[in-house]
Amino acid sequence: MFRKIISSHSKSKTRKFVSISHHSTNYCYYDHSAPPSSPSKHISPRQKWLDITPTSLKGFNRSFSAGYQLNSTQYSGSNSNKRNRFSVRRGFSSETVRECINYDVVIVGGGPAGLSAAIRLKQLCRESDVDLSVCVVEKGAEVGAHILSGNVFEPRALNELIPQWREEEAPISVSVSSDKFMLLTEKHAIPLPNPFDNKGNYVISLSQFVRWLGQKAEELGVEVYPGFAAKEVLFDENENVIGIATNDMGIGKDGSKKDNFQPGVELKGRINLFAEGCRGSLSEKLIKKYNLREKGQGQHQTYALGIKEVWEIDASKHKPGAVVHTLGWPLDHKTYGGSFLYHMQDNQVSIGLVCALNYHNPYFSPYDEFQKLKGHPAIKPLLENGTVIQYGARTLNEGGFQSIPYPVFPGGAVVGCAAGFLNVPKIKGTHTAMKSGMLAAESAFGVLNKGSNMEIYWENLKNSWIWEELHRARNYRPAFEYGLFPGMAISGLEHYLLKGRAPFTLKHGKPDHEATDEASVSSPIEYPKPDGIVSFDVPTSLYRSNTNHNHDQPAHLRLRDPQVPELVNLPKYGGPESRYCPARVYEYIADDKGELKLQINAQNCLHCKACDIKDPKQNIEWTVPEGGGGHYFPAAVVLAVAEMGGDETGGGVAAAEIGVVVAVEIDVAAFGTAFGVDESVGRLRVCAWVGCWGENGGWI
């Protein structure tokens, strides 16, 4: 029997346990005590951030939120025979027939754009008294798991989507209290006129916000499938998109099917919306297949890499709502980028460095530049005596207005950052991503309910405030192609005098991968060694990212030509993949003959997509790994579900529940120091991700 925590239908914080048969295929909860007239309510696994339950996977093989198949044979047996329970049996067999599920709308990606689209669709259904089936598939172990906290949030789109969000207990409470903009030199921070208008904005945890959006979507009847990665676009005989297929799970490195093999599932939609985020693997294929970039604004997309940490600092240094942005040091004058520092709640700050990926020097290391930044005299005192809680990295779209693709293709559309609606001078894209999802949802609803066509999405985009906002900001990013100070002069002219109404539109420079100079004309860069106080080595940061991939699976980072690294990248560019990756996925290691060979540590991957963008010969292809893998950013450091009494009842959970997100009780006296919990609490029930404490008290 398995247990799950569910919420009662009231607004209270009460939780209760419900037993679920080991072989049960129904994970929807129905309150039999409710009046007959009240509809049954689908309870989300994350109805609050601390609700830990499997989402209903209507119609196909059930997996829990970490993406592990619930296998009664594999997990049966006595506790004394744990090793045998996890033995891996392999077998090669013919292709497995995938199960197929049909929906009205399939949405790929459980971020702000995808969830906003799902919510808007269900709102329109209620307004028109129609019922459309909507599902969201998300590759993270849970909604929000791949989103690192720390965001200055503009609520414009949220005000339109859920006007009563304050009453709905959205995790948005810290308003911007101060806003500074500085030019950094190596030793000084020079205040500049602030071009950011953050009045009315909030400093939030984007991870918690997305979890809340997921809850709202499920309350409206959206089916959310976390832990499933969309691997393939499905087409009909006329090359119309008809859905996606998730990847097979339980495949070994050698291509054999392991004992826990689970075939992928085909999710077919009458309309399919791709909201995968920046450089989405399937979205990029669709953009190329249908020439959407050329049909849109015409210019190539440009990117930046953002590297971020969340710190807990001394309360005396914490200023909730304080926002700081910088330009200049540690970047050279030819490299566009800057840093940010946001004071969130609970004595936490989010600090990061954004580096444009069209930098020239192949010896440039974004990770080491970020570590160097934290040693600046204006930043280091704030972080000293603090603790790093999270680390992560992600690429950003910086092409803006000039790079918007035509977003509609036969059978669906591209939305959010997969299309590229980031406002570069604002350093904000959540509000535009949400709005684009809402507009796509309204167009999809018109197609399904009124017989219109998806091209209306493009027209609505051009008539929306997204278009107006990005058009005003179109010349900021390309202005810095001329260097830091010319870029500041041009962008200042745009902001203060022309106000985005310049009679010209600047073009972007070379694509990022073509901008890399050869090593022979570049100077190596000496970076200081980490001090272990504010700067750290890569393995330490990786540990803080909670990155986890099953080692025994096919590599999701693929070389189109295996000879390019040794024959081109290393001799011509000095092996830049060993430096542009913020997780040291790529290393050149000497073989038995002393020759350097590229080693790919795919298990370290942060899913930032920098390699897919910056490789000089575009030889690296990023594909999705098994669903549920990658980094994992919890909503809080310790997911405390309920305080228990100080007695010794409860204990652990049966070892048979390994591999399932379960609620377990730990002895705080034994683990309190590690979790920072007062021993007086007694016992605490917490979430254990992909593992549990066995009855003997050991971690499995």
Side-chain angles (χ1 to χ4, degrees):
M1 304 291 285
F2 289 85
R3 297 187 299 175
K4 69 173 181 177
I5 301 174
I6 62 171
S7 299
S8 65
H9 285 198
S10 69
K11 296 237 179 190
S12 71
K13 302 283 186 181
T14 306
R15 302 286 188 270
K16 57 182 177 179
F17 282 102
V18 173
S19 295
I20 305 175
S21 167
H22 194 131
H23 304 285
S24 171
T25 58
N26 178 20
Y27 298 111
C28 289
Y29 172 70
Y30 180 77
D31 187 355
H32 295 281
S33 64
S37 59
S38 63
S40 62
K41 181 179 179 182
H42 177 80
I43 299 298
S44 159
R46 297 148 198 101
Q47 191 170 38
K48 301 277 185 194
W49 62 265
L50 56 163
D51 283 352
I52 308 160
T53 60
T55 303
S56 169
L57 302 184
K58 192 163 81 177
F60 64 95
N61 295 331
R62 275 78 186 169
S63 291
F64 287 81
S65 59
Y68 285 75
Q69 174 72 16
L70 182 61
N71 185 316
S72 58
T73 302
Q74 183 179 356
Y75 300 127
S76 62
S78 64
N79 291 339
S80 61
N81 193 25
K82 295 173 189 170
R83 185 175 298 275
N84 291 338
R85 187 178 308 119
F86 302 109
S87 63
V88 177
R89 298 191 297 275
R90 299 180 183 274
F92 293 87
S93 63
S94 59
E95 184 177 349
T96 303
V97 177
R98 296 184 295 206
E99 189 169 354
C100 176
I101 313 170
N102 294 312
Y103 289 91
D104 292 306
V105 181
V106 172
I107 300 172
V108 181
L115 291 171
S116 296
I119 290 170
R120 186 65 187 131
L121 273 163
K122 283 298 187 178
Q123 288 174 339
L124 292 168
C125 287
R126 288 193 174 188
E127 292 170 8
S128 302
D129 195 25
V130 298
D131 186 20
L132 297 177
S133 57
V134 181
C135 84
V136 175
V137 61
E138 163 59 34
K139 66 181 174 68
E142 62 178 43
V143 171
H146 284 180
I147 297 178
L148 182 58
S149 298
N151 177 277
V152 175
F153 180 70
E154 182 174 323
R156 185 174 186 177
L158 182 60
N159 289 336
E160 298 177 12
L161 182 65
I162 307 175
Q164 71 283 8
W165 56 267
R166 293 175 179 83
E167 293 75 20
E168 295 284 340
E169 299 180 347
I172 302 173
S173 59
V174 181
S175 58
V176 173
S177 58
S178 64
D179 196 1
K180 296 179 180 179
F181 184 49
M182 298 185 294
L183 174 67
L184 296 186
T185 65
E186 187 173 357
K187 300 294 183 182
H188 301 93
I190 304 169
L192 296 175
N194 194 346
F196 304 97
D197 183 12
N198 282 313
K199 183 178 181 181
N201 295 338
Y202 296 83
V203 179
I204 69 169
S205 163
L206 189 58
S207 179
Q208 290 186 18
F209 174 66
V210 169
R211 283 172 167 88
W212 178 81
L213 282 179
Q215 169 198 335
K216 296 294 129 185
E218 288 188 309
E219 287 177 355
L220 289 169
V222 177
E223 297 181 27
V224 182
Y225 301 154
F228 291 89
K231 179 80 169 181
E232 174 187 354
V233 181
L234 302 177
F235 301 92
D236 65 12
E237 62 278 6
N238 297 318
E239 295 298 303
N240 298 314
V241 175
I242 58 173
I244 59 97
T246 65
N247 58 358
D248 294 341
M249 300 178 68
I251 301 290
K253 280 186 177 180
D254 57 5
S256 64
K257 296 178 181 179
K258 297 186 291 186
D259 190 43
N260 64 340
F261 172 76
Q262 177 184 350
V265 180
E266 292 185 355
L267 301 175
K268 293 186 176 181
R270 297 163 63 192
I271 296 293
N272 303 275
L273 303 180
F274 288 78
E276 299 173 284
C278 177
R279 196 73 172 197
S281 54
L282 298 186
S283 303
E284 286 298 309
K285 291 179 180 178
L286 291 170
I287 289 172
K288 291 177 182 177
K289 179 180 178 65
Y290 295 109
N291 298 315
L292 301 183
R293 190 79 64 194
E294 292 76 12
K295 293 179 182 178
Q297 295 300 97
Q299 293 193 39
H300 61 268
Q301 185 61 265
T302 64
Y303 300 91
L305 176 62
I307 303 177
K308 181 190 296 186
E309 290 174 345
V310 177
W311 285 65
E312 184 174 352
I313 63 172
D314 291 344
S316 60
K317 303 176 184 177
H318 188 246
K319 301 175 182 178
V323 171
V324 178
H325 292 100
T326 76
L327 282 175
W329 191 91
L331 305 180
D332 61 56
H333 291 178
K334 294 181 180 180
T335 303
Y336 177 73
S339 74
F340 58 87
L341 189 126
Y342 307 147
H343 288 246
M344 304 187 290
Q345 59 186 4
D346 300 326
N347 297 330
Q348 293 183 3
V349 297
S350 175
I351 181 172
L353 179 69
V354 178
C355 308
L357 285 176
N358 67 342
Y359 63 82
H360 302 295
N361 192 334
Y363 296 106
F364 181 89
S365 168
Y367 179 87
D368 292 305
E369 295 287 337
F370 175 52
Q371 301 307 314
K372 191 162 69 170
L373 166 76
K374 292 180 291 178
H376 192 276
I379 297 174
K380 185 175 182 179
L382 179 73
L383 303 179
E384 286 179 321
N385 300 318
T387 303
V388 182
I389 298 173
Q390 294 176 347
Y391 166 79
R394 191 70 171 91
T395 49
L396 317 171
N397 297 301
E398 287 195 337
F401 182 80
Q402 292 91 319
S403 302
I404 297 174
Y406 183 73
V408 180
F409 53 81
V414 181
V415 302
C417 288
F421 297 116
L422 179 78
N423 185 322
V424 175
K426 277 189 175 182
I427 323 179
K428 294 179 182 64
T430 304
H431 65 302
T432 50
M434 292 176 65
K435 179 63 174 178
S436 71
M438 294 158 61
L439 292 173
E442 291 165 0
S443 302
F445 184 80
V447 171
L448 298 174
N449 193 49
K450 301 177 182 177
S452 59
N453 58 66
M454 278 302 294
E455 282 73 17
I456 293 177
Y457 171 41
W458 178 238
E459 297 304 318
N460 290 343
L461 264 176
K462 292 193 289 185
N463 291 323
S464 71
W465 51 260
I466 294 178
W467 199 263
E468 178 187 359
E469 184 174 310
L470 295 186
H471 184 265
R472 284 201 312 268
R474 70 193 184 281
N475 286 330
Y476 286 81
R477 174 63 187 89
F480 285 86
E481 291 290 327
Y482 305 100
L484 175 62
F485 294 111
M488 291 177 63
I490 296 171
S491 59
L493 179 68
E494 278 278 308
H495 181 78
Y496 293 105
L497 184 61
L498 300 176
K499 300 186 183 299
R501 297 190 297 266
F504 54 85
T505 297
L506 298 176
K507 292 186 177 182
H508 297 302
K510 295 178 181 179
D512 297 336
H513 68 278
E514 295 180 4
T516 309
D517 291 336
E518 294 186 12
S520 60
V521 297
S522 304
S523 300
I525 302 174
E526 291 281 339
Y527 288 104
K529 292 183 178 180
D531 60 15
I533 300 173
V534 299
S535 58
F536 309 95
D537 58 20
V538 172
T540 300
S541 295
L542 274 176
Y543 173 79
R544 291 165 175 155
S545 72
N546 292 316
T547 298
N548 179 59
H549 294 89
N550 186 343
H551 289 233
D552 190 16
Q553 65 172 300
H556 69 281
L557 300 166
R558 300 172 182 173
L559 299 179
R560 293 182 171 92
D561 182 346
Q563 295 183 317
V564 164
E566 287 82 22
L567 297 182
V568 180
N569 284 8
L570 185 59
K572 191 172 183 179
Y573 298 100
E577 56 269 68
S578 64
R579 288 177 289 273
Y580 60 60
C581 173
R584 296 296 188 266
V585 168
Y586 304 94
E587 291 183 289
Y588 281 93
I589 297 177
D591 62 11
D592 295 338
K593 299 179 181 179
E595 297 178 355
L596 293 177
K597 301 293 182 182
L598 182 66
Q599 175 175 291
I600 300 179
N601 307 309
Q603 67 274 12
N604 292 358
C605 182
L606 296 172
H607 298 199
C608 75
K609 316 285 184 68
C611 57
D612 196 82
I613 297 166
K614 187 60 176 172
D615 185 74
K617 298 302 177 182
Q618 292 290 273
N619 189 48
I620 299 174
E621 180 185 11
W622 191 97
T623 62
V624 290
E626 282 191 355
H631 47 291
Y632 177 78
F633 301 126
V637 178
V638 180
L639 302 183
V641 178
E643 289 186 2
M644 304 298 292
D647 57 68
E648 296 301 317
T649 61
V653 294
E657 294 181 337
I658 178 68
V660 181
V661 174
V662 293
V664 300
E665 296 168 10
I666 62 171
D667 189 340
V668 176
F671 294 92
T673 302
F675 285 93
V677 180
D678 193 316
E679 293 185 11
S680 64
V681 172
R683 304 185 74 83
L684 190 68
R685 191 180 297 141
V686 301
C687 169
W689 183 62
V690 194
C692 64
W693 281 274
E695 289 179 331
N696 64 352
W699 177 260
I700 302 175

